[in-house]
Amino acid sequence: MRTMTLTVMRTDGNAPPSPFTVTVPKLGKFEDLTQALSTACSLGVDETLLVTEIYNNRIIRYLGEPGDSLSLIRDDDQLVAYRLPKDADNMPTVVFMHQHVEEPFICGKLTSNWKAFGIPLVASSKFVNGSDIRDMYLKLLKPFLIPPEDSVDDDDDIERTVSEELTEVEDSITPGLDGAAEVANGNKFSTDSDDDDGLEFYITDEKGTIRDSRIAMNEPVPSTPGRLIVLVCWPAKMVKQYKTCLLSSLPQIFKFDFFAKRPQESVSLYKCLEAFLKEEPLGPEDMWSVHIHMRLSFIDIIPYNAFGTYLMTSYASLVSNHYGSMGGGHYTAFIHHGADRWYNFDDSRVSPISEDRIKTSAAYFLFYRRVADS
């Protein structure tokens, strides 16, 4: 078996992302993962999962074939499962990617460039124009919004901001033709500004590198085959209003803890026989790793009569030892020669060995001689 951790994201804006860890067969299929994840996150009967791989703040792979092997998913992959309505195939799906302005000092000069951040957001809903796209995006951002700490102070700030902006507008108005007024074409008061939040929306490619086609709020959004990918550019003030750390936190499928201590338990021969007779799917990567608790004599294995013989009691007659790795190594054998006499066979060397040295972690095959029941 294999444990896998994925991030599950709602597409209705009602909850932040949540990590879920599930256990699946190591050589299982993708449908094993979706079934386990659906149970873990209590997926509704009217919902389905869109599982994706995220890298560099964008979706680089969609996992959807039920028969795909889980071995294609590596431990350091980062997967996000989006909860979509089951009728999502009948509605357009929009993938939102995010960028914000970064202003580093390079060679003593302040420069501006756009930097991608966060996990892509996905929604499945009908839309007509740019305002629908914007409303859809703001709804998805609701779980990440930082609540105001003091509403009174916020109201005062809003009043001051509105007053200042009105003053700027009045100062920027100049007489125009027929007495009309013209507003200066600044960034804050641009006639094609999306809204007062300063967000800008662009139709882009899967990498989020294209910003040629800007989405206007009052104009229809052109339909595109497949998924509509939208790049959203954030102003600096928007970044401070949202918990972008939650939007950027993404666990790996499996993170190995090198310093974690795994308890070593003694495994009896009885448990080994039970496991040997138990049906289970085996693959090339399924290997036993146990410390066998050996018994040298009088082992009652009647319950494990899998071969049609009635074994009552027995005692060890030969122990085959293996030293090395699964790919190679060295074999020796301990042979019982009657009474309490044991010999160590190591290639061409044979030497006596005491019984208390028979039980070692190198034991590979155990051979037992049946003793007739009295």
Side-chain angles (χ1 to χ4, degrees):
M1 304 299 287
R2 175 188 183 188
T3 58
M4 304 179 72
T5 300
L6 292 84
T7 299
V8 176
M9 297 192 68
R10 302 187 67 94
T11 58
D12 54 8
N14 289 334
S18 300
F20 288 89
T21 300
V22 296
T23 302
V24 294
K26 185 180 294 186
L27 298 178
K29 304 297 182 182
F30 177 71
E31 60 183 351
D32 297 321
L33 174 61
T34 54
Q35 290 175 3
L37 192 59
S38 300
T39 303
C41 71
S42 301
L43 193 72
V45 294
D46 58 343
E47 292 181 296
T48 186
L49 291 175
L50 175 65
V51 183
T52 65
E53 181 183 350
I54 308 296
Y55 183 74
N56 281 348
N57 309 110
R58 62 185 179 90
I59 297 174
I60 63 171
R61 179 167 58 136
Y62 293 90
L63 293 83
E65 294 296 329
D68 283 351
S69 173
L70 292 181
S71 62
L72 299 175
I73 301 176
R74 300 168 299 180
D75 286 345
D76 57 351
D77 287 343
Q78 294 178 316
L79 300 190
V80 173
Y82 298 92
R83 301 176 67 149
L84 294 173
K86 269 192 175 177
D87 57 351
D89 293 338
N90 301 324
M91 293 188 294
T93 300
V94 184
V95 178
F96 293 99
M97 302 169 65
H98 335 277
Q99 289 185 351
H100 65 83
V101 177
E102 195 176 50
E103 297 182 337
F105 281 91
I106 300 178
C107 298
K109 295 182 180 181
L110 184 63
T111 59
S112 298
N113 56 6
W114 290 97
K115 180 180 180 181
F117 73 97
I119 307 167
L121 300 179
V122 176
S124 181
S125 178
K126 294 181 180 179
F127 57 85
V128 177
N129 54 30
S131 295
D132 297 333
I133 297 292
R134 176 181 173 276
D135 293 342
M136 192 187 306
Y137 184 66
L138 292 178
K139 182 179 179 181
L140 295 175
L141 287 180
K142 281 175 59 178
F144 309 98
L145 185 64
I146 299 176
E149 297 179 356
D150 191 339
S151 58
V152 176
D153 293 340
D154 290 341
D155 292 340
D156 294 340
D157 293 339
I158 292 173
E159 290 179 2
R160 285 195 297 270
T161 302
V162 171
S163 177
E164 293 170 358
E165 292 182 355
L166 286 175
T167 302
E168 290 186 36
V169 172
E170 292 173 356
D171 294 340
S172 62
I173 294 178
T174 58
L177 296 176
D178 299 327
E182 295 178 348
V183 179
N185 188 20
N187 289 335
K188 189 177 293 186
F189 305 101
S190 174
T191 56
D192 62 348
S193 175
D194 292 342
D195 212 304
D196 56 0
D197 51 32
L199 292 173
E200 296 179 358
F201 297 81
Y202 299 87
I203 297 177
T204 187
D205 59 353
E206 294 182 349
K207 295 183 179 180
T209 56
I210 298 177
R211 292 177 54 192
D212 298 334
S213 179
R214 183 171 178 177
I215 300 176
M217 294 298 99
N218 57 351
E219 295 182 6
V221 177
S223 59
T224 58
R227 302 176 179 90
L228 176 66
I229 305 178
V230 177
L231 177 64
V232 186
C233 298
W234 289 40
K237 65 177 183 180
M238 278 284 291
V239 177
K240 298 177 181 178
Q241 297 173 5
Y242 289 87
K243 298 177 182 178
T244 55
C245 59
L246 293 179
L247 196 59
S248 302
S249 178
L250 203 56
Q252 294 180 347
I253 285 294
F254 177 79
K255 191 170 184 178
F256 178 73
D257 188 357
F258 183 79
F259 297 99
K261 293 183 178 180
R262 297 185 179 182
Q264 296 288 342
E265 62 179 72
S266 176
V267 181
S268 69
L269 182 61
Y270 295 107
K271 289 186 179 294
C272 291
L273 290 170
E274 287 177 355
F276 175 74
L277 297 177
K278 181 181 178 182
E279 292 185 1
E280 62 173 323
L282 295 178
E285 297 181 4
D286 292 321
M287 300 179 181
W288 284 103
S289 178
V290 297
H291 294 271
I292 297 175
H293 176 63
M294 294 173 53
R295 296 185 60 180
L296 297 183
S297 61
F298 302 104
I299 299 179
D300 183 6
I301 55 177
I302 292 178
Y304 313 108
N305 179 20
F307 307 104
T309 57
Y310 296 88
L311 308 185
M312 302 302 182
T313 58
S314 62
Y315 61 87
S317 60
L318 184 149
V319 177
S320 177
N321 304 303
H322 177 262
Y323 303 90
S325 64
M326 286 294 181
H330 181 63
Y331 288 92
T332 67
F334 299 145
I335 305 295
H336 182 247
H337 198 264
D340 58 352
R341 293 177 298 170
W342 285 84
Y343 290 88
N344 177 23
F345 286 74
D346 185 356
D347 289 343
S348 61
R349 298 181 297 275
V350 179
S351 59
I353 186 172
S354 60
E355 187 174 295
D356 57 357
R357 295 176 57 192
I358 300 300
K359 301 179 182 180
T360 70
S361 61
Y364 186 63
F365 278 111
L366 308 180
F367 294 83
Y368 290 87
R369 181 182 301 163
R370 184 177 59 177
V371 177
D373 187 16
S374 60

